[in-house]
Amino acid sequence: MFVEQSYYFWKFVYELVVVHDFQVLHLHTKDQEVWLEKEHQWKTNVVRIKQKQVNWSNELKRELFMVQQQLKKNRKLFRGGRVTVHTIYISEHQPVDEWEHVLDELPEDSSQFNLYYMSDDTKQEERERFLHHFDLDAAEFEQEPSQDEKEAMIPYLQQQIAGSHYKRRKEAESLFQFGKPLITYVLLAINILFFVFMEWKADSTAVETLIEFGAKYNPAIIEGEWWRIVSSMFIHIGLLHLLMNMLALYYLGTAVERIYGTMRFTLIYFLAGVFGGVASFMLNPFVAAGASGAIFGLFGALLFFGVHHKQLFFRTMGWNLLFVIGLNIVFGISVPQVDNGAHMGGLVGGFIASALVNLPRKKTPFIQSLALFVYVGAIAAMGILGVQGYFNEGQTISQVQESQQLNQDGEYDKVVALTTEAMEQGGNYEAPLRFNRSYAYIQLGEEEKAKEDLIEVVELAPDMAEAHYNLAILYDQEGNKEKAAEHARTAAELNPDNQQFKNLSNELSSS
């Protein structure tokens, strides 16, 4: 009867692998044991099939415990959610004693276990129960061959199963070898060379330099310089910013370009970068630069790959990739300077762009057309909202940043012109703009104009300690000791950790 059971074992495995597209995880011909995997309804199913006569329920329990332990050791192979385990035994007879209760006696585990015992009397019934779990047709096997034919068929079935397994493994490997990382290296070179050029000409961390070289600057974009959405992708703010982004581009870029090919990769990178840039224009009023939006688009491309190849995705990069994305989101929320608009926009844009270009050798005209419609519509909507937000807000934080930088560079006349024009627009940043102009007036020797600005500042923002301090100095210079002492005391109270404020307050109070 061994031939009978062996034939049924390999015939059943053949049916699952060749006909129903189960994936082979482990194939042990000598021990008559096969491990398979199948995704069904977004859940991972692991199937262990064993030809063995189990005589007692205790023996069966030990077998199942061994399966449980083996799964724990190889948990990384089955990432991607809760695992459902199907253990199938094929033998001539069922165990002598009651065995159905053994699953209840297993130690608690995150996996869900199902047990099937295919004896001669229950083969068809148990096979139907198993296939029903996957919504598969449980039609009868073809007419039973003779004993000699069964014995002769076993090597053929084994060969077909092994061949199918080899073919799928090669297909999986080919998914990561479609292209070569050519454009990735070109992008790395362009970013690095442009950074070196910027540093040679000026300071890459200076706001004025960033604006001059093409960073995302909303007032300039409003005036028609939309090309900044693209140029900002090649500008980095300091060496650390460059190194972090280039490291991410190297690892993500080479992976995505190998999967999608050079042409698709290039489209995904730039479409994601543009999407992230427009999202930043809509959400972030600060001067911004960097390849982060496009790089997050590469995250989106890998997520799109994971949607189509879930098992392979979680077996190779899945949880690590999700962890890195989650870590970046948390970092972006906790650090105010991070351009979350560009990051999240790039992530979404990369996913949409990947749906637009699709994976190699795949064509889905409806999905690709829908992705194009969504991409264009989202870009248009974000652009319109960004323009409306800019004019509703009037002054922008970018103008505050630029005027601060101009003061640091000693361009005081430019500060006066910039802040005066910005305040004519109206908005929510009059206090910092007036403060920056007051500093420029002081440096230009126009103390009376500076005092007028500072008086307005402390009315608009009474908690700005620096404004009270500067006003105290101006009042002291003109001999108004009472007002000078009042503002110096207020500055020290608002910022008690500032020794300079304390010293001036003590000096004026004692005079």
Side-chain angles (χ1 to χ4, degrees):
M1 296 298 292
F2 177 81
V3 172
E4 178 80 21
Q5 306 308 322
S6 184
Y7 170 76
Y8 189 88
F9 172 86
W10 290 110
K11 183 68 175 178
F12 184 55
V13 173
Y14 174 88
E15 177 188 17
L16 298 182
V17 173
V18 178
V19 179
H20 296 308
D21 204 32
F22 282 65
Q23 181 177 340
V24 176
L25 296 176
H26 172 72
L27 183 64
H28 205 301
T29 305
K30 184 178 179 181
D31 291 343
Q32 300 283 89
E33 181 175 352
V34 176
W35 288 69
L36 309 175
E37 184 181 11
K38 177 77 170 179
E39 182 184 322
H40 180 62
Q41 296 179 348
W42 289 91
K43 293 181 180 179
T44 300
N45 291 263
V46 177
V47 183
R48 183 231 187 194
I49 310 173
K50 176 75 173 175
Q51 182 190 343
K52 182 177 182 179
Q53 178 63 54
V54 181
N55 295 314
W56 301 97
S57 59
N58 282 340
E59 183 183 355
L60 186 58
K61 182 179 177 181
R62 286 194 299 270
E63 283 269 328
L64 294 176
F65 180 74
M66 179 273 295
V67 172
Q68 197 176 53
Q69 294 303 112
Q70 198 161 348
L71 280 170
K72 287 180 180 179
K73 291 180 181 178
N74 296 279
R75 177 64 63 182
K76 64 181 180 179
L77 293 176
F78 314 120
R79 289 176 173 176
R82 186 179 176 88
V83 175
T84 300
V85 183
H86 306 266
T87 302
I88 303 172
Y89 287 93
I90 297 175
S91 66
E92 184 177 359
H93 303 292
Q94 295 190 43
V96 176
D97 56 349
E98 294 293 331
W99 58 269
E100 290 82 357
H101 63 281
V102 295
L103 290 177
D104 300 330
E105 299 177 9
L106 287 177
E108 289 190 9
D109 186 80
S110 60
S111 304
Q112 176 186 345
F113 272 74
N114 294 318
L115 177 61
Y116 308 84
Y117 203 98
M118 297 183 178
S119 65
D120 285 352
D121 297 331
T122 61
K123 280 188 175 71
Q124 187 60 27
E125 178 185 339
E126 291 288 82
R127 174 172 165 270
E128 289 177 0
R129 183 166 71 91
F130 172 79
L131 294 176
H132 179 73
H133 179 89
F134 297 92
D135 301 320
L136 297 174
D137 182 22
E140 291 276 359
F141 283 151
E142 68 272 12
Q143 185 177 359
E144 286 281 307
S146 66
Q147 197 76 356
D148 291 340
E149 289 174 332
K150 288 179 181 178
E151 189 170 2
M153 281 286 290
I154 290 173
Y156 170 78
L157 295 172
Q158 293 173 341
Q159 183 183 21
Q160 291 298 306
I161 294 165
S164 177
H165 174 46
Y166 177 80
K167 179 181 177 182
R168 287 176 189 168
R169 189 177 65 189
K170 287 298 181 183
E171 288 174 352
E173 291 174 357
S174 69
L175 292 174
F176 297 98
Q177 298 172 356
F178 181 78
K180 294 182 179 180
L182 303 175
I183 295 298
T184 298
Y185 298 133
V186 172
L187 291 170
L188 286 167
I190 292 174
N191 278 281
I192 293 170
L193 289 173
F194 196 79
F195 177 80
V196 172
F197 177 73
M198 277 183 62
E199 282 291 327
W200 177 51
K201 289 290 186 180
D203 179 9
S204 66
T205 61
V207 175
E208 188 178 15
T209 302
L210 294 172
I211 294 172
E212 179 185 351
F213 278 86
K216 192 224 71 173
Y217 179 52
N218 288 4
I221 293 175
I222 289 292
E223 293 175 2
E225 296 181 5
W226 288 93
W227 50 266
R228 289 178 176 270
I229 298 295
V230 176
S231 63
S232 63
M233 295 165 57
F234 298 94
I235 297 173
H236 289 85
I237 308 170
L239 182 60
L240 181 61
H241 188 210
L242 174 75
L243 292 177
M244 290 179 63
N245 273 355
M246 293 305 97
L247 187 65
L249 175 58
Y250 174 76
Y251 284 106
L252 290 172
T254 52
V256 173
E257 194 167 359
R258 288 184 192 278
I259 292 172
Y260 285 86
T262 296
M263 184 62 69
R264 289 179 177 84
F265 166 80
T266 305
L267 286 172
I268 291 170
Y269 185 87
F270 282 98
L271 289 175
V274 169
F275 201 95
V278 177
S280 176
F281 169 72
M282 177 182 68
L283 298 171
N284 179 22
F286 294 89
V287 174
S292 302
I295 290 170
F296 265 78
L298 303 182
F299 280 125
L302 293 176
L303 289 177
F304 182 80
F305 172 82
V307 170
H308 287 268
H309 299 281
K310 181 171 176 282
Q311 293 174 330
L312 187 60
F313 175 73
F314 281 106
R315 191 171 291 122
T316 53
M317 68 185 87
W319 282 114
N320 293 332
L321 182 70
L322 295 177
F323 173 77
V324 171
I325 293 174
L327 187 65
N328 276 275
I329 292 173
V330 172
F331 179 76
I333 294 172
S334 59
V335 179
Q337 292 85 359
V338 173
D339 190 353
N340 290 304
H343 289 187
M344 295 303 99
L347 180 67
V348 174
F351 189 90
I352 297 172
S354 302
L356 173 60
V357 302
N358 214 333
L359 290 166
R361 307 185 187 95
K362 283 196 174 184
K363 290 184 180 180
T364 52
F366 174 76
I367 297 297
Q368 291 174 271
S369 300
L370 180 62
L372 177 61
F373 175 78
V374 171
Y375 183 90
V376 174
I379 287 284
M382 290 190 297
I384 292 170
L385 290 173
V387 171
Q388 289 178 344
Y390 177 87
F391 285 111
N392 289 338
E393 184 179 26
Q395 305 144 2
T396 71
I397 194 67
S398 299
Q399 293 165 318
V400 177
Q401 284 181 295
E402 186 178 5
S403 60
Q404 287 174 338
Q405 185 65 50
L406 288 170
N407 270 333
Q408 292 176 13
D409 296 339
E411 302 283 352
Y412 305 119
D413 289 324
K414 288 184 179 180
V415 173
V416 172
L418 172 66
T419 53
T420 301
E421 181 183 354
M423 283 187 286
E424 289 174 356
Q425 300 171 357
N428 300 321
Y429 297 97
E430 183 177 350
L433 286 168
R434 280 189 179 275
F435 179 80
N436 289 345
R437 187 172 70 172
S438 73
Y439 180 85
Y441 278 142
I442 290 172
Q443 302 304 316
L444 292 169
E446 301 184 45
E447 285 82 2
E448 191 60 34
K449 290 182 178 180
K451 188 176 73 172
E452 291 175 4
D453 270 340
L454 288 170
I455 291 171
E456 288 290 333
V457 171
V458 297
E459 288 183 5
L460 293 167
D463 294 337
M464 188 183 289
E466 293 81 1
H468 287 283
Y469 176 79
N470 289 353
L471 197 53
I473 292 175
L474 292 177
Y475 276 125
D476 183 47
Q477 288 175 351
E478 67 179 28
N480 193 336
K481 300 295 183 180
E482 183 180 350
K483 281 189 174 293
E486 177 187 343
H487 285 287
R489 186 168 51 253
T490 302
E493 290 172 354
L494 289 171
N495 192 349
D497 295 330
N498 191 308
Q499 192 61 43
Q500 195 175 17
F501 291 0
K502 281 185 178 181
N503 292 339
L504 181 63
S505 178
N506 293 334
E507 179 185 336
L508 292 174
S509 297
S510 61
S511 63

